[in-house]
Amino acid sequence: MRAARIWLRALAVVLAIGSNVLAQVVSAVTGDYGPRPQGLGWAIVFVLVGVDYAVCAIIAWKIVRSPIAGWVMVGASLFWAAGAWYPITRSNGWVWPVLEGVTDLWAVLVGILVLCYPGGRILARFDRIVVLVVMAAFLVRFVGILLFSSPAPADCGCVTNVYAVLPSEDADFWLGVAWRVVGLALMLTVAVRLTMRWVSSTLPARRVAFVMPLALLLWCYGTVQDSLSFALDWDSGWLQFIPPFAIALIPPSFVAGVFYARGLRSRVADLVIVARDKVDRSLWESSLARTLHDNSLRVYWWDEQLNGYETSGGERRPNGSVVDRPGRSTLDIDSDQGPIALIEHDVALSQDDRLLDAVSSALLLSVDNDRLRHRLERTLQEVRDSRLRIVEEGYLARRRLERDLHDGSQQQLVSLAIGLRIATSKAQSAGHGELVADLERASAQLADALRELRELARGIHPTVLTDGDLRSAIDELAQRSHLPVEVRVEIPDRLSEVVEETIYYCVAECLANAAKHSGARNCAVTVTRSDHTVSVVVKDDGQGGARVEPGGGLEGVRDRVEAVDGHAEVQSVAGLGTIVELTIPLT
């Protein structure tokens, strides 16, 4: 289907251009130009006008949604050649009356092209009436030529009109005069209407129709000139080139206006970049007004709580304040979730529905991006909060378990150890050596169990953090390490229990890695605090090359820090040691 449409359009363009070129070649060969101007200059101008319409038709088919404009241009190009074919066919009574009747059909098509600018469709009632009137006038002239036109052979060099029912030698002249009067009146009406609309309209309307009024006025002048030449047999000289120039200016004006509107659509895409981070209502409204060259443009945003629209400044829009304003139109923008915005714009922009579609798509994309961003931020915050709650609950559970061990099992074991020592003393006093030996072995086993229980309790929760502070806890880790550790803790106040526990276990893991894997001789631990964060740096002078690997100790350090919304960074170059830097927010 698409291929057939392309071939049909290509055939129409070839016929239109070929007809114009062939008509000039045949006229030059036969030397028969009839009443038309002749010469090489006029032949070139004549052909260029036809080619101009055909080329613009190809462009119009590409850029205008409706194919009507392209076919009207091709038709105008094809019937533009009828004026050249008419003198050549005067020897055929069946052909020349038809060609003479359709000689000015190109003018009718050009008028339709002007009225369907720029959307390719005739929408206004006045424009439809003008089209009906000009078509009726053309049909009257066409039928009149067929039925009545019979000029004297000596005057026109033509044979008898075989269609003539009531032959008249003056019918052709008066039909021509009437046609020109009606056509000029309609052209002036359309030209004045378009000019007044252009002058009184706003900037968007002027930019969309910036050349068409000039071309139409020049065409009106050319029609007046042609009418005077026809009625008074006046030789206009070089002025004869003004009408074809004005006629040739109309299709480029049509195409230029459409290209301008397409340029606006491409600029609308930049609005997505303007609002890529957040839909700033005032910025969006001003950017859209600047893009569409409509300073009076207003955007009203839907508010669910108000159940109505409000301005970018937050003021509620009175009902009916937009629709009733003359020269204005509205664009409703809705999504699956309900209304989004209402754009009040110049009515001239309504002629380009693709432009308004681009505006709707840009705003919808910006709003959707904004909604997704808020939803993602809300989800991430919920994940952070839930992760922090899990960390806090784990901390409290470990502390309760450590307290239970300390106050329960550990105290019972201590009491048992005291009881064993008392029993051992009594056995020694009674002289039971074998019993003393058994009691001493039981006491040693109990001491080992008590020591293991304390180590277990310290692994569950460091008691030193509860009884002391972070500085003393890190000092204890340094004393237990197999390497010399330099400790510098510059924190005047206590931190939250979760943060202190996180720092304690991370430092413990880093010191353990340095002692086991790095081959270091010295380590250093530095803890500093700023207004909103605490920084921990653990570095050694080992062999380096440490990496965060799945299941490794450094991955556990990173997970602990990120669980409290912090950040862990490992810098480890082979031969230069390892630096682990932790940054934890205090909020």
Side-chain angles (χ1 to χ4, degrees), residues 284-285 288 297-301 310-312 341-344:
W284 219 98
E285 182 179 39
L288 181 60
L297 182 141
R298 294 292 179 269
V299 180
Y300 300 94
W301 305 86
E310 63 179 9
T311 65
S312 299
L342 183 68
I343 299 179
E344 175 196 357

Side-chain angles (χ1 to χ4, degrees), residues 265-284:
R265 293 199 295 271
S266 64
R267 292 182 61 186
V268 168
D270 296 337
L271 294 175
V272 180
I273 301 178
V274 172
R276 64 182 181 271
D277 297 327
K278 182 180 180 181
V279 180
D280 189 320
R281 294 184 173 185
S282 299
L283 177 61
W284 219 98

Side-chain angles (χ1 to χ4, degrees), residues 117 198 206-217 249-250 252-254 256-257:
Y117 174 83
W198 187 83
R206 294 185 183 182
R207 288 180 178 268
V208 171
F210 55 96
V211 183
M212 191 66 74
L214 175 62
L216 201 56
L217 290 175
L249 191 61
I250 290 177
S253 302
F254 190 103

Side-chain angles (χ1 to χ4, degrees), residues 104-413:
D104 292 329
L105 183 56
W106 64 267
V108 176
L109 297 176
V110 172
I112 294 175
L113 179 65
V114 172
L115 294 175
C116 71
Y117 174 83
R121 292 172 294 181
I122 300 177
L123 302 176
R125 181 182 178 184
F126 175 83
D127 296 339
R128 294 177 180 176
I129 294 176
V130 170
V131 171
L132 292 177
V133 171
V134 73
M135 289 297 297
F138 171 78
L139 290 175
V140 169
R141 179 174 181 268
F142 179 75
V143 174
I145 289 175
L146 291 181
L147 298 182
F148 307 113
S149 179
S150 182
D155 295 334
C156 70
C158 56
V159 298
T160 304
N161 178 10
V162 298
Y163 303 103
V165 177
L166 298 174
S168 172
E169 295 182 358
D170 299 330
D172 183 67
F173 175 80
W174 291 110
L175 286 173
V177 170
W179 165 250
R180 284 169 172 80
V181 170
V182 174
L184 181 60
L186 292 175
M187 287 174 57
L188 288 174
T189 301
V190 174
V192 170
R193 182 172 183 267
L194 290 180
T195 303
M196 292 179 61
R197 182 192 300 173
W198 187 83
V199 171
S200 61
S201 62
T202 56
L203 185 60
R206 294 185 183 182
R207 288 180 178 268
V208 171
F210 55 96
V211 183
M212 191 66 74
L214 175 62
L216 201 56
L217 290 175
L218 287 176
W219 187 20
C220 291
Y221 166 79
T223 303
V224 173
Q225 174 186 306
D226 179 69
S227 300
L228 293 176
S229 300
F230 176 81
L232 305 177
D233 195 20
W234 170 50
D235 184 9
S236 56
W238 64 270
L239 295 176
Q240 64 182 330
F241 293 104
I242 293 181
F245 172 77
I247 295 168
L249 191 61
I250 290 177
S253 302
F254 190 103
V255 172
V258 176
F259 270 120
Y260 172 78
R262 292 189 65 177
L264 286 181
R265 293 199 295 271
S266 64
R267 292 182 61 186
V268 168
D270 296 337
L271 294 175
V272 180
I273 301 178
V274 172
R276 64 182 181 271
D277 297 327
K278 182 180 180 181
V279 180
D280 189 320
R281 294 184 173 185
S282 299
L283 177 61
W284 219 98
E285 182 179 39
S286 61
S287 300
L288 181 60
R290 184 170 57 254
T291 299
L292 300 181
H293 304 289
D294 185 3
N295 294 329
S296 61
L297 182 141
R298 294 292 179 269
V299 180
Y300 300 94
W301 305 86
W302 178 260
D303 188 280
E304 295 183 357
Q305 296 180 352
L306 297 177
N307 194 27
Y309 292 96
E310 63 179 9
T311 65
S312 299
E315 299 178 0
R316 185 165 185 174
R317 180 183 70 87
N319 295 330
S321 62
V322 176
V323 180
D324 297 337
R325 294 181 58 182
R328 313 297 295 168
S329 183
T330 56
L331 174 64
D332 294 319
I333 300 180
D334 301 323
S335 68
D336 297 338
Q337 301 178 6
I340 293 180
L342 183 68
I343 299 179
E344 175 196 357
H345 57 84
D346 190 278
V347 69
L349 298 175
S350 301
Q351 299 177 357
D352 190 350
D353 51 355
R354 289 188 177 182
L355 174 62
L356 299 182
D357 289 343
V359 173
S360 299
S361 300
L363 183 57
L364 280 173
L365 183 59
S366 298
V367 171
D368 287 342
N369 287 341
D370 193 49
R371 288 176 175 174
L372 290 175
R373 183 179 61 85
H374 284 298
R375 189 178 303 168
L376 179 60
E377 290 178 351
R378 187 168 57 252
T379 302
L380 290 176
Q381 187 60 41
E382 291 175 354
V383 171
R384 295 191 191 100
D385 295 341
S386 63
R387 185 169 59 180
L388 186 58
R389 286 194 298 270
I390 293 173
V391 172
E392 292 175 344
E393 289 297 328
Y395 166 80
L396 295 176
R398 289 193 300 272
R399 187 168 182 179
R400 285 194 298 268
L401 181 58
E402 184 269 338
R403 187 182 299 114
D404 292 341
L405 290 175
H406 182 272
D407 298 337
S409 301
Q410 187 174 342
Q411 294 298 329
Q412 291 178 6
L413 291 177

Side-chain angles (χ1 to χ4, degrees), residues 469-471 488-495 500 503 527-529 534-536:
D469 56 10
L470 183 61
R471 180 181 289 104
R488 184 167 64 91
V489 179
E490 299 178 355
I491 298 180
D493 303 323
R494 294 295 299 269
L495 305 177
E500 287 188 345
I503 295 175
V527 182
T528 58
R529 174 179 176 176
V534 58
S535 298
V536 181

Side-chain angles (χ1 to χ4, degrees), residues 460-482:
I460 294 174
H461 176 76
T463 309
V464 66
L465 285 178
T466 305
D467 300 337
D469 56 10
L470 183 61
R471 180 181 289 104
S472 58
I474 295 180
D475 287 337
E476 181 185 2
L477 290 176
Q479 294 173 4
R480 290 164 49 193
S481 176
H482 300 294

